Every structure is written in structure tokens, then in C-alpha cells.
Amino acid sequence: MTLHEHERIVSADKIEIKPVFEDRYKKILGDRYAEFMEFSMSYLRKCVRVNTLKISIPDLKARLEKKGWVLEQVPWCKEGFFVQGHEEMDRFDIGNLPEHALGYFYVQEAASMLPPTVLFSDIKENDADYFKELKVLDLCAAPGSKTTQIAQYMKNEGVLIANDVDISRLRPLTMNLQRIGVKNMLITLNAFQYSKNNGKPRNPFGEEKEFFDRILVDAPCSGTGTIRRSFKALTMYSPGLIRRLVATQKTLIKHAFNMLKPGGTMVYSTCTQEPAENEAIVSFLLNQFDNAEILPIDLDIKRTPAITEFEDLDIRPETKDCLRIYPQDNDTEGFFVCKIRKNA
Ligand code: SAM
């Protein structure tokens, strides 16, 4: 056991699991609940993503390995590497290296690399003209893990709008975009929400504009896939919180779809395992728009079947093509990813 694992398990003893959480998650996970909690209470592997805007994958890998760092490829993201440790010292603080300050890599959880990977999985890398014309929106961008990944897939071409509602989170977003060397972005501070005055949806970008080729909605969520990173999701958990998040998620996914060009692609993702925030939100979109279609996700990753029936939730059978992963599937955080096309 490493020092990190020891620390994690000791502090886990002090966390009280709310009965309302335990009941819900036993229903969601069935006989996989105990394993889910075991992984949720254990040390999370550190992971980095090579920033190909500044350095090639082989060059950074060679540079870090020469310094004694032991890396292992993330199977579903060619720029991603698990940090297995250091050859000589018991250390994992790879974020303290000068290569990090120089923006050669970004410390990012391996499952969090999925949404941008899925959003760009169909694009040919050498199609330079396609990137020049590309307009991409990252609707919930801060602190920018996925925005920086999107920028590197766009090769700093086209336009990338990084939006968030929370001004305090724009500071880390800006710092991350600068460190990574992103030059094709605009940062916006817009709230997509139901107006308090007349109850109608409000879209600061203008609802009639089908403007974007690609959109990422990495929605605010109850975060129950991230317990192994922080126990906040456990302490904050409540049915009332889920209800409020569901209202926001419906607003975000609907506005995002309205802003997508016909033929455009969008990804809806969360780091929660809650079906009301995942399969039910995507089903809400399918119920609203006949031209929304869920696309299959073909990646080298172990997955759990999407939830197509749960209590009284309205879930469409097409959600079977969504990607649902639990911490125990790949020894990462838990995540949910859905790829959606807007048909003409
Ligand atoms: N995509 C980010 C990344 O990978 O670094 C993480 C995004 S975090 C899961 C969700 C974000 O949504 C938060 O930064 C939050 O401030 C933002 N948010 C919450 N409500 C929003 C709204 N109504 N409109 C836009 N963004 C919102």
C-alpha cells in the first residue's frame, strides 16, 4: 500500500454515508454497489494528457521517462498516460515539474478525457481546411480540462468559445488556456437558465442561431463518480440537489441543441452515476427534438450497460448507446457520455 492509499482509506472511515444515498445507489448498482463503494473509497490513479500544441507525444513521454517517471498508456485516449509512480522515489507530484509549468502536459483524470475524445472521434487529423472553418462551443468550460483538450484537437484553428456561468471559475480557466497555449478561444460568461421574470428559457447567444459545428455540454452534476477524488459529492448529496441539477441540465442540453448546426455533433457528459441526470436528460432531448439522434461510441474501454429502465424515469431505449462507466470498470472516476447528432 502506498502512502496515498493509506491516507485515503483512513479518512474514508470518517465519512458518513447518508441512508438516502445508500438506498438510491444500491438500487442503481444492485450487486455492484459494494465494489463501487470500495473503489470510491480508494486512491485514484494520477493521469496526464500530453499537450500536442506544444510537444509531441513521443517527445514528452521520453522526457518524463528519462526523469524516472513510469507511464502507462490510457487505452481510450492516445494523448493520455497513467502515472504509475517514480522509479526511485515514492512520489506522484508530477504537476510540480517544469514541463507542467511550460504547458507540455495537463494533469487530467483519465475518464475526464472521454468527452472531447468522443466529440472529435470522427475527424480526420490531417483535414486542415476542416479545422479552419470549425466553430466549437464548450458550454460549461471551467476550469478548462476539456477545453484545452478540444483546442489541441482543433490544432488552434477555427473558433472555440469557452463559456461558464461562474466568474470565479473563469480565472483558473484563463490560466489553464494560457499555460496550454490556446490561441483560438473566446471566453464568455453566460448563464443559460430559465428567466426568473417570465419562466421562459434565456439564451444569451441567441436561440435562432444554429451556429456551432460541435458543442460540449459537460454539465454541472451531483458528481457521484468522483467520490474517490473528493468526498464532497457524498456530503452534498440530496434528492433536492438532484432535482435542481436536473432542471439546469435540461435547460443546458436544450439550448445547446438549438445552437447546433444541422449535421453538427454534440456531446453531453457528466461525472455522476445518477440516471435522472444522464439517460433521462438525453431522453428529454429526444422527446423534444425529432432530429436528435444518439450515435454509438466505439472506444477501447470497459463499460457498464446504460440504464434504459429505472423506477418512473422516462428513459428512451435509444440511450443504450450511451457510455456509462463506473470507477471499478477501468479503475478511474465514474462517467457518463452521450454523443448526439442533429439531423437535417
Ligand atoms: N468542463 C469542465 C472541465 O472539464 O474542466 C468542468 C465543468 S463542471 C462539471 C460544470 C461547470 O458548469 C461549472 O464550472 C459550472 O460553473 C458550470 N455551470 C453551472 N451552471 C451553468 C449554466 N447555467 N450555464 C453555463 N455553465 C454552468
Short mmCIF file of all heavy atoms in Angstrom, two decimals, residues 106 112 138-147 163-166 169 190-193 216 218-221 248 252 271, ligand 1:
data_model
loop_
_atom_site.label_atom_id
_atom_site.label_comp_id
_atom_site.label_asym_id
_atom_site.label_seq_id
_atom_site.Cartn_x
_atom_site.Cartn_y
_atom_site.Cartn_z
N TYR A 106 -1.06 18.34 -19.17
CA TYR A 106 -2.15 18.77 -18.30
C TYR A 106 -2.47 17.59 -17.39
O TYR A 106 -2.60 16.47 -17.88
CB TYR A 106 -3.37 19.11 -19.19
CG TYR A 106 -4.46 19.89 -18.50
CD1 TYR A 106 -4.63 21.25 -18.74
CD2 TYR A 106 -5.34 19.26 -17.63
CE1 TYR A 106 -5.64 21.97 -18.11
CE2 TYR A 106 -6.34 19.96 -17.00
CZ TYR A 106 -6.49 21.32 -17.24
OH TYR A 106 -7.49 22.02 -16.61
N SER A 112 -12.12 11.73 -17.57
CA SER A 112 -12.47 13.09 -17.99
C SER A 112 -11.98 13.41 -19.41
O SER A 112 -12.41 14.39 -20.01
CB SER A 112 -11.92 14.08 -16.95
OG SER A 112 -11.57 15.29 -17.53
N ASP A 138 -17.80 25.16 -25.90
CA ASP A 138 -17.72 24.38 -24.66
C ASP A 138 -18.57 25.15 -23.66
O ASP A 138 -18.16 26.17 -23.11
CB ASP A 138 -16.25 24.29 -24.22
CG ASP A 138 -16.07 23.36 -23.03
OD1 ASP A 138 -17.09 22.88 -22.49
OD2 ASP A 138 -14.92 23.12 -22.64
N LEU A 139 -19.78 24.65 -23.46
CA LEU A 139 -20.81 25.44 -22.75
C LEU A 139 -20.52 25.59 -21.26
O LEU A 139 -20.83 26.62 -20.66
CB LEU A 139 -22.17 24.75 -22.97
CG LEU A 139 -23.43 25.44 -22.50
CD1 LEU A 139 -23.55 26.83 -23.06
CD2 LEU A 139 -24.66 24.62 -22.90
N CYS A 140 -19.96 24.56 -20.65
CA CYS A 140 -19.65 24.59 -19.20
C CYS A 140 -18.16 24.29 -19.08
O CYS A 140 -17.75 23.17 -18.81
CB CYS A 140 -20.46 23.52 -18.48
SG CYS A 140 -22.22 23.59 -18.83
N ALA A 141 -17.34 25.30 -19.29
CA ALA A 141 -15.93 25.05 -19.62
C ALA A 141 -14.98 25.02 -18.43
O ALA A 141 -13.95 24.35 -18.47
CB ALA A 141 -15.46 26.11 -20.61
N ALA A 142 -15.26 25.79 -17.38
CA ALA A 142 -14.27 25.98 -16.30
C ALA A 142 -14.11 24.70 -15.46
O ALA A 142 -15.10 24.01 -15.22
CB ALA A 142 -14.73 27.13 -15.41
N PRO A 143 -12.89 24.38 -15.05
CA PRO A 143 -11.63 25.13 -15.19
C PRO A 143 -10.84 24.83 -16.46
O PRO A 143 -9.69 25.26 -16.56
CB PRO A 143 -10.84 24.68 -13.96
CG PRO A 143 -11.28 23.27 -13.75
CD PRO A 143 -12.73 23.22 -14.16
N GLY A 144 -11.41 24.11 -17.41
CA GLY A 144 -10.78 24.06 -18.72
C GLY A 144 -10.07 22.77 -19.09
O GLY A 144 -9.36 22.74 -20.10
N SER A 145 -10.24 21.70 -18.31
CA SER A 145 -9.58 20.42 -18.68
C SER A 145 -9.98 20.03 -20.10
O SER A 145 -9.13 19.72 -20.94
CB SER A 145 -10.00 19.29 -17.74
OG SER A 145 -9.91 19.69 -16.42
N LYS A 146 -11.29 20.07 -20.33
CA LYS A 146 -11.76 19.58 -21.63
C LYS A 146 -11.60 20.65 -22.71
O LYS A 146 -11.39 20.32 -23.87
CB LYS A 146 -13.21 19.09 -21.50
CG LYS A 146 -13.31 17.95 -20.50
CD LYS A 146 -14.70 17.45 -20.28
CE LYS A 146 -14.78 16.52 -19.08
NZ LYS A 146 -14.62 17.21 -17.77
N THR A 147 -11.68 21.92 -22.33
CA THR A 147 -11.47 22.99 -23.32
C THR A 147 -10.06 22.89 -23.90
O THR A 147 -9.87 23.03 -25.12
CB THR A 147 -11.62 24.40 -22.69
OG1 THR A 147 -12.67 24.36 -21.74
CG2 THR A 147 -11.91 25.45 -23.73
N ASN A 163 -17.29 28.88 -22.41
CA ASN A 163 -18.28 29.60 -21.61
C ASN A 163 -18.42 28.99 -20.21
O ASN A 163 -18.26 27.79 -20.04
CB ASN A 163 -19.65 29.54 -22.31
CG ASN A 163 -20.73 30.26 -21.49
OD1 ASN A 163 -20.74 31.49 -21.42
ND2 ASN A 163 -21.60 29.50 -20.85
N ASP A 164 -18.70 29.82 -19.25
CA ASP A 164 -19.11 29.31 -17.93
C ASP A 164 -19.98 30.37 -17.27
O ASP A 164 -19.98 31.54 -17.66
CB ASP A 164 -17.90 28.98 -17.05
CG ASP A 164 -18.26 27.91 -16.01
OD1 ASP A 164 -18.80 28.28 -14.95
OD2 ASP A 164 -18.04 26.72 -16.27
N VAL A 165 -20.73 29.94 -16.25
CA VAL A 165 -21.64 30.85 -15.58
C VAL A 165 -20.99 31.49 -14.35
O VAL A 165 -21.47 32.51 -13.85
CB VAL A 165 -22.92 30.07 -15.17
CG1 VAL A 165 -22.64 29.14 -13.99
CG2 VAL A 165 -24.07 30.98 -14.85
N ASP A 166 -19.89 30.91 -13.90
CA ASP A 166 -19.33 31.28 -12.60
C ASP A 166 -18.04 32.09 -12.80
O ASP A 166 -17.02 31.56 -13.23
CB ASP A 166 -19.05 29.99 -11.82
CG ASP A 166 -18.55 30.25 -10.42
OD1 ASP A 166 -18.18 31.40 -10.12
OD2 ASP A 166 -18.54 29.29 -9.63
N ARG A 169 -14.68 30.97 -11.53
CA ARG A 169 -14.04 29.83 -12.21
C ARG A 169 -13.40 30.24 -13.54
O ARG A 169 -12.71 29.45 -14.17
CB ARG A 169 -15.07 28.71 -12.42
CG ARG A 169 -15.45 28.04 -11.10
CD ARG A 169 -16.62 27.10 -11.25
NE ARG A 169 -16.35 25.91 -12.03
CZ ARG A 169 -15.90 24.75 -11.55
NH1 ARG A 169 -15.67 24.63 -10.26
NH2 ARG A 169 -15.71 23.72 -12.33
N ASN A 190 -21.69 33.46 -19.57
CA ASN A 190 -23.12 33.46 -19.87
C ASN A 190 -23.83 32.41 -19.04
O ASN A 190 -23.34 31.30 -18.88
CB ASN A 190 -23.37 33.15 -21.35
CG ASN A 190 -23.12 34.34 -22.23
OD1 ASN A 190 -23.47 35.47 -21.88
ND2 ASN A 190 -22.52 34.11 -23.38
N ALA A 191 -25.02 32.78 -18.58
CA ALA A 191 -25.84 31.82 -17.84
C ALA A 191 -26.97 31.36 -18.75
O ALA A 191 -27.70 32.19 -19.29
CB ALA A 191 -26.42 32.47 -16.60
N PHE A 192 -27.09 30.09 -18.95
CA PHE A 192 -28.22 29.55 -19.70
C PHE A 192 -29.22 29.08 -18.65
O PHE A 192 -28.97 28.11 -17.95
CB PHE A 192 -27.76 28.40 -20.57
CG PHE A 192 -26.90 28.86 -21.69
CD1 PHE A 192 -25.59 29.19 -21.48
CD2 PHE A 192 -27.43 29.01 -22.95
CE1 PHE A 192 -24.80 29.65 -22.50
CE2 PHE A 192 -26.65 29.47 -23.99
CZ PHE A 192 -25.33 29.80 -23.75
N GLN A 193 -30.30 29.80 -18.54
CA GLN A 193 -31.22 29.44 -17.47
C GLN A 193 -32.63 29.94 -17.78
O GLN A 193 -32.82 30.76 -18.67
CB GLN A 193 -30.76 30.03 -16.15
CG GLN A 193 -30.64 31.54 -16.21
CD GLN A 193 -29.80 32.09 -15.07
OE1 GLN A 193 -29.10 31.38 -14.39
NE2 GLN A 193 -29.87 33.38 -14.88
N LEU A 216 -19.81 20.88 -26.65
CA LEU A 216 -19.68 20.02 -25.47
C LEU A 216 -20.52 20.60 -24.35
O LEU A 216 -20.38 21.79 -24.01
CB LEU A 216 -18.20 19.93 -25.03
CG LEU A 216 -17.98 19.17 -23.72
CD1 LEU A 216 -18.41 17.71 -23.83
CD2 LEU A 216 -16.52 19.23 -23.28
N ASP A 218 -20.64 19.67 -20.74
CA ASP A 218 -20.10 18.90 -19.61
C ASP A 218 -20.80 19.46 -18.37
O ASP A 218 -20.28 20.35 -17.69
CB ASP A 218 -18.58 19.10 -19.56
CG ASP A 218 -17.92 18.19 -18.54
OD1 ASP A 218 -18.33 17.03 -18.42
OD2 ASP A 218 -16.99 18.66 -17.85
N ALA A 219 -21.97 18.93 -18.12
CA ALA A 219 -22.94 19.62 -17.26
C ALA A 219 -22.58 19.58 -15.77
O ALA A 219 -21.96 18.62 -15.31
CB ALA A 219 -24.31 18.97 -17.46
N PRO A 220 -23.01 20.62 -15.02
CA PRO A 220 -22.91 20.54 -13.57
C PRO A 220 -23.76 19.36 -13.09
O PRO A 220 -24.85 19.13 -13.63
CB PRO A 220 -23.49 21.87 -13.09
CG PRO A 220 -24.33 22.36 -14.22
CD PRO A 220 -23.72 21.82 -15.48
N CYS A 221 -23.25 18.60 -12.13
CA CYS A 221 -23.95 17.36 -11.76
C CYS A 221 -23.66 17.01 -10.31
O CYS A 221 -22.86 17.68 -9.65
CB CYS A 221 -23.50 16.23 -12.67
SG CYS A 221 -21.79 15.71 -12.39
N THR A 248 -31.46 22.36 -14.44
CA THR A 248 -30.38 23.05 -15.15
C THR A 248 -29.91 22.23 -16.35
O THR A 248 -29.69 22.76 -17.45
CB THR A 248 -29.18 23.29 -14.19
OG1 THR A 248 -29.64 24.05 -13.09
CG2 THR A 248 -28.06 24.05 -14.88
N LEU A 252 -29.67 23.32 -20.27
CA LEU A 252 -28.40 23.36 -20.99
C LEU A 252 -28.45 22.50 -22.25
O LEU A 252 -28.03 22.93 -23.33
CB LEU A 252 -27.26 22.89 -20.07
CG LEU A 252 -26.93 23.81 -18.89
CD1 LEU A 252 -25.91 23.16 -17.96
CD2 LEU A 252 -26.40 25.15 -19.38
N CYS A 271 -20.13 13.61 -14.56
CA CYS A 271 -19.33 12.69 -13.73
C CYS A 271 -20.19 12.14 -12.60
O CYS A 271 -19.70 11.92 -11.51
CB CYS A 271 -18.07 13.37 -13.22
SG CYS A 271 -18.41 14.91 -12.34
N1 SAM B 1 -15.78 21.08 -18.39
C1 SAM B 1 -15.05 21.46 -17.19
C2 SAM B 1 -13.67 20.84 -17.22
O1 SAM B 1 -13.52 19.76 -17.80
O2 SAM B 1 -12.74 21.41 -16.65
C3 SAM B 1 -15.82 21.09 -15.93
C4 SAM B 1 -17.23 21.63 -15.91
S1 SAM B 1 -18.06 21.39 -14.39
C5 SAM B 1 -18.52 19.72 -14.48
C6 SAM B 1 -19.59 22.21 -14.71
C7 SAM B 1 -19.49 23.70 -14.93
O3 SAM B 1 -20.78 24.18 -15.33
C8 SAM B 1 -19.09 24.52 -13.73
O4 SAM B 1 -17.90 25.22 -14.00
C9 SAM B 1 -20.26 25.48 -13.53
O5 SAM B 1 -19.86 26.77 -13.11
C10 SAM B 1 -20.90 25.50 -14.91
N2 SAM B 1 -22.34 25.85 -14.94
C11 SAM B 1 -23.28 25.63 -14.00
N3 SAM B 1 -24.48 26.11 -14.39
C12 SAM B 1 -24.31 26.65 -15.63
C13 SAM B 1 -25.15 27.32 -16.55
N4 SAM B 1 -26.45 27.53 -16.29
N5 SAM B 1 -24.63 27.76 -17.73
C14 SAM B 1 -23.32 27.56 -18.01
N6 SAM B 1 -22.46 26.92 -17.16
C15 SAM B 1 -22.95 26.49 -15.99
#
